[in-house]
Amino acid sequence: MDLDLSSVEPFRAEVRDWLRAHVPAAPLPSLETGEGFAAHRAWERELAAARLSVVSWPARYGGRDATPLEWLVFEEEYYAAGAPGRVSQNGINLLAPTLFKYGTPEQLDRVLPPMASGEVIWAQAWSEPGAGSDLAALRATATRVDGGWLLNGQKTWSSRAAFADRGFGPFRSDPEAGRHRGLTYLMFPLDAEGLTRRPIGRLDGKPAFAELFFDDVFVPDADVVGEPGEGWKVAMGTTGSERGLTLRSPGRFTAAADRLVGLWRERADPADTALRDRVADAWIKARAYRLKGFETVSRTEDVGAESSVNKVFWSELDVALHETALDLLGPDGELEGDWLEGYVFSLAGPIYAGTNEIQRNVIAERVLGLPREGKA
Amino acid sequence: MDLDLSSVEPFRAEVRDWLRAHVPAAPLPSLETGEGFAAHRAWERELAAARLSVVSWPARYGGRDATPLEWLVFEEEYYAAGAPGRVSQNGINLLAPTLFKYGTPEQLDRVLPPMASGEVIWAQAWSEPGAGSDLAALRATATRVDGGWLLNGQKTWSSRAAFADRGFGPFRSDPEAGRHRGLTYLMFPLDAEGLTRRPIGRLDGKPAFAELFFDDVFVPDADVVGEPGEGWKVAMGTTGSERGLTLRSPGRFTAAADRLVGLWRERADPADTALRDRVADAWIKARAYRLKGFETVSRTEDVGAESSVNKVFWSELDVALHETALDLLGPDGELEGDWLEGYVFSLAGPIYAGTNEIQRNVIAERVLGLPREGKA
Amino acid sequence: MKFVLDAEQRLFGETLNKLLAGAGTPGAVRAWAAGDPEPGRALWRSLAEAGVFALAVPEAAGGAGPLPVELVTAFHELGRHAVPGPLAETVAAAELLARLGDGAGLGSGHEDFEDRASGHEDSEDRASGHEDSEDRASGGGSSGDHGGELAAAWLPRIAEGAAVVSLALPPAVPYALDADAADLVLVVDGDELRAAVPGTVRTSLDPARRLFSVEAGTAPVSGPAVRAAAGAAFDLGALACAAQLAGVGRRLLEVTVEYAGTRRQFGRPIGGFQAVKHQLADVLVALEYARPLVHGAALAYGSPDFSRDVSAAKAAASDAAYAAARTALQVHGAIGYTDEYDPSLWIRKARALRSAWGSPAAHRARVLSRLTGDRESAE
Amino acid sequence: MKFVLDAEQRLFGETLNKLLAGAGTPGAVRAWAAGDPEPGRALWRSLAEAGVFALAVPEAAGGAGPLPVELVTAFHELGRHAVPGPLAETVAAAELLARLGDGAGLGSGHEDFEDRASGHEDSEDRASGHEDSEDRASGGGSSGDHGGELAAAWLPRIAEGAAVVSLALPPAVPYALDADAADLVLVVDGDELRAAVPGTVRTSLDPARRLFSVEAGTAPVSGPAVRAAAGAAFDLGALACAAQLAGVGRRLLEVTVEYAGTRRQFGRPIGGFQAVKHQLADVLVALEYARPLVHGAALAYGSPDFSRDVSAAKAAASDAAYAAARTALQVHGAIGYTDEYDPSLWIRKARALRSAWGSPAAHRARVLSRLTGDRESAE
């Protein structure tokens, strides 16, 4: 498929102009605080009012039916403008693709518009103590009751859950079934009766996560996504989306790389070719990721296991880029600031959404066709 | 144990003076040619005449009972002087330690003195097509006959075998026994009846190896090392020695690192901090390996599996050091010369004597105590 | 913009792949290394028939170009099959000559640039020339006339595969590759373009690369246009080399995956070991992201970003191919280290091409220099 | 020369290890980070009782030092237990003061350097001082007298654990670590040593490191001796930091190996996966070779090679500890990324200490500069 970059220039200009006029001059307070969370929610509302919160969605849910290329362009402009972090991203990047694939029309109509408007902020609730990348080891249960399900057990490292409104994730509905079977994918309110949330800090102490304790939390049938017992398949659909471009759009990295080049120009000793080499390498890799993004949206076939290639690449690029920035800052590298926050955030990349070790297994076995390893 | 470095200064001075007086001004022709092999053998004789060919051996076999520290010092001086490569090294570093551990007094008396004098040059003959690091997959056979054994089958990547006098290695003497059992460790003449050798080139085309084809090659009982059927144990003894300091003495790397610093001073743009960083890193690592060597000879306990730590370190250091040199040389990096030859040689390091992948398994399981991987 | 190859371009690549797979290319490589260029020349002619060299030659000069996307598609396959010869050098020379000839009209060739291989079947294509050492001595002559003559004489022959051209562009490309097997050897020295005589040959790690120091002959074409044309030639040569490296890396991955799937150690295929899998997965990742950089640079041909994008591509392709080579060697073990087995052809070439046409560090430096200091002025 | 620790030194390390393991050190770290220095001060006094700080203080000044091998042995354990506070800074300050006091006789202390924590139990150790801003204004005063007074006032207190000292040595050490919890804050500015007042606090990735910009107070000790003493202090601080990093890395390896042996995924301990094994094996290799560099640098104390060897040790220990931290995080997964679990204590510290007391790149540059340009003059 041809990508006509010039045809999207009007859209790019609209986005750029709007962002120039609306992006707050001073950074919002951290979205890992109550005050900052509220400010970020207000920003989502502002985006939505301009129909810029979910450009690739159908118009009926709050989007503008943007093409994948337009979405790439939106992301480039968004991050280049230094616009606030997306507090809605768990919903938009993880839950919404799942609903588009497995949700009922009623669910789409009910869930998506308030997600697009920032009225309802979603938290993912997948991991459990002892079950991180190994989803088949989940133990929190969903028990069938009249008209719905009762949730019990514990979830952890639930991103955004400290302040969000609702959560989603797979629960074990049939304890007798095998590891991958008997899971059901559910949505639930975080202020439900019987649900306790305890914020936990990430590496820099900020409460980017929470632990969730479920004690007979009722969820109606209407909030099951896909078929009961099919939670594994539903979750894997989301995982595929996580590993593709959606989770980390190229615009994030091209913007970060440009800022790194700026930092280099401003702070580095130009004679320091060792740093120069790393700054250039980060910029080249961000550009490669961008071009690969154009390539991906040019193709019609499913990306499939190749999304694992993307995930390994962007997550390592992100770490290397931020390590370079910290090294460039020298003794200031350990100090609180945007670069340090970006570094801490980047460190999660090789771990979550399937560790890079698992991704490399997938690449080796499903893309390269190497023999499967005997797994007990 | 204290190492009194000053107490070895007289020895160091003697070695240095002798080398200064005797190391050929022009490099000898490559030892991978007939002419060069002869020149290197003559050099071994010259070393032996000064009792410097095998300093750590007992005097009765041609050594001078040097302490491990003296041996380290000898190696430092030897490589710092840019003295010729040791054509006898397969015998001295691989066979001799095996004989010291498993050989009979008769074998020691018969084999070692001509090895020390350069009269007999040895080639290792371990690998077979399909059996490299996996010694248990060997298939070349030794069949019991009256007074000895008949060898049949094929060995390959036999270092030095193109021009050497004798070879050594394990053969399968009991085809019924399991993978690790039923091997016998034997020594044999390379000009034996029934033995055909075919030189094969390494990466740079030089015939550093040969293939050996055995067709009823007779070996007397006197040339079995250790007990028949115990070849695995005997070979592992040699492997341990390979992985310790013997195979790659610190002096090799400190000399190479010093030459790299010299190359940097002579050829590099001093403003190129990227290269500077790598040159410094190579020097630091060579120094670490030297200090670790002092540490190792200070300890009384067996090094054991820690020799795998050494092997991973020196082999990666050697590659990185030579890659740095080639990069420093820019477009000249691909041209024939000492640095390129050293690079090609270094590339074998992570492969032979047990690949670094196997060494990392050993480190993880035997040093760190991580669970063993299920091996079929 | 096409960020993926279209059906026709893919078919072109596949055609070349089949052509080279069926042409006994490893034998031609070994013959070339042994000093027998004939099988390599035959390969060269087949490639020309398939249209490879015409891609770098303007239509007006008998070519089909410039078609940079098709060119990198072709060079990917040339790398994949380790085709010997001054390939990047010849297309760079075509770019150089086309630039010098541009607007000067395509006149007759110059004597000093005549085909040195006098018995060559195509020698009747040569146009006659004339002595002109005065121009060189004055140092300020315009390149127009002689450039035009040169272009007219050589470009059609390059396009049809009748001319193998070597080119030195010091300092990044100080030696003339395979100059002894070339019909024309050019060297650019500042503002001067000279025909060169091959000097001492130096042995490369890749025995199919015979590197010659050059003694520049008389009768230069000179003037600032030479410098500009040499810059354009360097960019196209580096891009071709980047594509070749990507192909070298891809082939190394292919043969290593195949080997790892069949070779057994410790009772199972070595490709079943996670350590082997992860090394190969990392190679794939590196190659997958080198490809769009090479493709993107080809798309940028003619734009002010071309130099920057070529450098990005060359740096990434060099690193990816070298990582592929290191992994191929490690996974193959001694077989990969052995001259007579084919993996050595690509393992050696990856290392050699990595420092040819500018090192990764030099290209990264150029990227950053374009992004910072030179950005405003250059764009 | 002892290239391994002797029995007594090993026992000293083991004693500290036991002391810190039994002292609830993680709790002290978290309290320190939260602004409550008391548990950390208590730990500090225990360490002093075990003789740690006396190792950097000359015998004549009430210490047991200098004993650099014992010092790195101790700092290895301090790193292994993530002990908070300006540890390297205090021993570097001891070196600085000892150098300034050397040969000057140990006189009385200087007022401006008095214990800022006026209620401190050891404040009776302070000697009286006198105003001397003239010296500072002239800029050329000798350091002898005041240096001697300072040394006499502070060295015994450092040795006995009664003085926590922070020290800034711009540009490599621009901030005063934990200055709010320190009894004395020093800053060297060229030829001048000043008492400093903590300015703005800045948050570090490691919350147990509170970094203060410093406003230099009056009454400097000045003169070329200050510069030389600051150089010696930098070397000892960097060495202590290197040893601390080696201990941080060792602990990260220990906890990660333990975790990998027990945590199960996909039906087996994750430590059984080759990818995990090889990452941990590489960490061990790096740590095993950082150790002899740290030890070797300690042996070189007082020799002309000391600076070079300290830099080699700091570069290698920084890289090894950082690799250990990255691997620990990757193997632990989300648990390692979580503030409230202990691995985060070492993961954060490894990153922070890597750039403290000079970056790996800066130290590698210093090694090469000693090996080339400065070799003849320095040795």
Side-chain angles (χ1 to χ4, degrees), chain A residues 327-343:
Chain A
D327 286 350
L328 201 160
L329 290 167
D332 286 358
E334 65 174 296
L335 300 180
E336 195 167 59
D338 287 348
W339 287 111
L340 187 67
E341 176 139 11
Y343 168 72

Side-chain angles (χ1 to χ4, degrees), chain C residues 20 41 56 95 115 150 180 186 189-190 206 217 220 227 260 316 356 359 375:
Chain C
L20 292 165
R41 293 286 305 217
E95 181 77 3
D115 187 353
L150 267 177
D180 57 340
L186 299 174
D189 181 8
D206 179 358
R227 197 182 288 268
S359 69
R375 188 173 196 118

Side-chain angles (χ1 to χ4, degrees), chain B residues 1-5 258 261 264-265 275-281 283-285 287-289 291-292 294-296 298-299 306 308-314 316 356-361 363-365 367-374, chain D residues 1-4 253 256-257 260-261 268-269 271-274 276-282 284-286 288-293 296-297 305 308-309 311-313 315-316 319 360-365 367-368 371-373 375-376:
Chain B
M1 185 169 64
D2 276 26
L3 292 184
D4 188 350
L5 288 179
D258 283 341
V261 170
W264 155 265
R265 198 184 334 213
L275 270 171
R276 180 182 71 189
D277 198 63
R278 293 168 63 197
V279 171
D281 198 52
W283 187 88
I284 290 168
K285 289 202 163 97
R287 184 168 176 79
Y289 191 65
L291 291 166
K292 186 76 152 48
F294 290 146
E295 186 189 298
T296 301
S298 299
R299 290 160 56 185
E306 283 184 42
S308 292
V309 175
N310 292 347
K311 204 250 159 167
V312 170
F313 188 80
W314 68 248
E316 298 202 334
N356 281 13
E357 285 71 29
I358 292 173
Q359 306 296 349
R360 288 191 176 90
N361 285 348
I363 294 168
E365 294 171 8
V367 184
L368 296 176
L370 287 165
R372 280 183 64 85
E373 197 167 14
Chain D
M1 290 260 187
K2 292 174 204 290
F3 288 93
V4 288
L253 179 63
T256 309
V257 165
R268 51 163 146 155
F273 288 100
Q274 210 181 19
V276 171
K277 285 183 181 179
H278 286 200
Q279 288 180 47
L280 289 168
D282 282 335
L284 179 74
V285 171
E288 279 292 295
Y289 284 89
R291 185 192 52 231
L293 287 168
D305 290 335
R308 181 198 70 187
D309 291 355
S311 282
D319 285 351
H363 280 291
R364 279 195 285 265
V367 167
L368 204 55
L371 287 174
T372 54
R375 188 171 198 121
E376 288 74 13

Side-chain angles (χ1 to χ4, degrees), chain C residues 286-300:
Chain C
L287 288 169
E288 280 291 295
Y289 284 90
R291 184 192 52 232
L293 288 168
V294 171
H295 188 88
L299 292 177

Side-chain angles (χ1 to χ4, degrees), chain A residues 3 295 310 360-361 365 371, chain C residues 1 277-278 282 289 291:
Chain A
L3 293 184
E295 185 188 298
N310 292 347
R360 287 191 176 90
N361 286 348
E365 294 171 9
Chain C
M1 290 258 185
K277 286 183 181 180
H278 286 199
D282 282 335
Y289 284 90
R291 184 192 52 232

Side-chain angles (χ1 to χ4, degrees), chain A residues 264 268-277, chain B residues 271 273-274 276, chain D residues 361:
Chain A
W264 155 264
D269 173 2
D272 189 338
T273 59
L275 270 171
R276 181 182 71 188
D277 198 64
Chain B
T273 59
R276 180 182 71 189

Side-chain angles (χ1 to χ4, degrees), chain C residues 264-288:
Chain C
R264 298 176 74 86
Q265 265 204 316
F266 304 106
R268 50 163 149 155
I270 58 174
F273 287 101
Q274 211 181 18
V276 171
K277 286 183 181 180
H278 286 199
Q279 288 180 49
L280 290 169
D282 282 335
V283 169
L284 179 75
V285 171
L287 288 169
E288 280 291 295

